[in-house]
Amino acid sequence: MAGQPITLRLTIRDPVPDVAYSLQDKTNAPVEVRIAGDAPLSFDAPITLTDDNRFTGPFVRREGPTRRFVYICIGASAGQHGSEWSRRAKIDIHDIPAALLAQARDGVVLEIVLPGRGKDGTPACATVRPLQPWRAA
């Protein structure tokens, strides 16, 4: 099935400073490792959107018949040896509205804003709920 390349921007509003963050590809390797400072941190994930709006590509993971997501690695998972954290944040992409996907097909980057910290102040992990929903960047 043919596919259209689109870009999803994952922005972490308040990452923990001095901690490594990265995208994670299907081989579990960290990609685009960055050490957080005081500013928001963004990753652009290239995704392929099929004709029937399914997500594929090197960063897309699946769970069950419909759930699709992208991982952000944190600390040791992002290759920061000696970090006290070894975490991943799961970012759902299967629920992006069809109207936004249509814009993405026209070259618009879609962005979601995520919390960088959990309630305890450590890096947010597991399924991370967005601070702002998907939108055209």
Side-chain angles (χ1 to χ4, degrees), residues 104-128:
R105 287 183 186 280
D106 290 333
V108 173
V109 173
L110 302 184
E111 181 180 36
I112 193 166
V113 178
L114 306 159
R117 302 172 198 226
K119 291 179 182 176
D120 61 358
T122 65
C125 61
T127 299
V128 177

Side-chain angles (χ1 to χ4, degrees), residues 1-13:
M1 179 158 286
Q4 169 76 37
I6 65 169
T7 301
L8 301 180
R9 180 168 296 147
L10 312 172
T11 297
I12 303 164
R13 179 176 282 166

